[in-house]
Amino acid sequence: MTQDDYRKIIENYVDAYNHFDVDRMLADIDEEARFENISEGEVTLTTEGKAALREQAREAAEVFSEREQVISNFQFHKQEVEVDVDFSATLAIDFSEELKAGDRIAMTGKSVFTFRDDKIIELKDIS
């Protein structure tokens, strides 16, 4: 696959994420894909397999009334692509004592997409 192929798959994933379209998000995910969310150096969530990622993505969609990831940079490394991401969202539910429904959150981070053949085999979201 070329860098353009990787870029198109990742841009489709992010656009689908921004539009809460879980089926389109997972269109290029391998059946055996692994997902990790890493926050402040700690793994906070891991899923194994496309079905588990689908369930997690559906649950996560309910947390936000709107959300947006904007890619600010791509770094290509053989079958791995690291993207810098600016994230903003509005909470749909009370998340904690400090974060309530209607609150707006924003952060920067990165996502690392690892490919096998023409599918995403691993995705790490790091903030």
Side-chain angles (χ1 to χ4, degrees):
M1 288 182 54
T2 68
Q3 288 184 359
D4 283 343
D5 294 331
Y6 291 137
R7 182 185 298 266
K8 286 177 187 172
I9 289 171
I10 292 167
E11 287 174 342
N12 178 69
Y13 175 90
V14 170
D15 185 63
Y17 175 90
N18 291 344
H19 289 94
F20 297 90
D21 186 344
V22 173
D23 290 334
R24 189 162 56 100
M25 279 176 59
L26 301 180
D28 295 300
I29 299 286
D30 189 271
E31 290 297 326
E32 299 175 9
R34 176 182 176 85
F35 170 78
E36 284 186 350
N37 188 75
I38 303 166
S39 180
E40 298 180 5
E42 299 289 326
V43 176
T44 59
L45 176 71
T46 302
T47 66
E48 299 284 345
K50 188 174 183 175
L53 181 54
R54 179 182 309 280
E55 181 63 27
Q56 188 280 328
R58 287 187 174 144
E59 289 174 10
E62 295 177 7
V63 174
F64 306 107
S65 59
E66 67 84 25
R67 64 185 183 187
E68 181 179 40
Q69 287 187 3
V70 176
I71 298 171
S72 59
N73 187 46
F74 285 86
Q75 295 177 24
F76 298 94
H77 313 278
K78 294 186 181 182
Q79 293 184 318
E80 184 177 280
V81 182
E82 185 176 311
V83 295
D84 296 325
V85 177
D86 296 319
F87 174 78
S88 61
T90 302
L91 293 173
I93 62 169
D94 290 348
F95 195 72
S96 67
E97 278 296 314
E98 298 81 29
L99 296 171
K100 303 291 185 185
D103 286 352
R104 187 117 177 102
I105 59 173
M107 65 183 80
T108 59
K110 66 181 174 181
S111 294
V112 180
F113 294 82
T114 304
F115 289 83
R116 181 173 65 198
D117 301 320
D118 60 346
K119 297 287 187 184
I120 299 165
I121 189 65
E122 184 175 68
L123 173 57
K124 293 181 183 178
D125 283 343
I126 305 165
S127 60

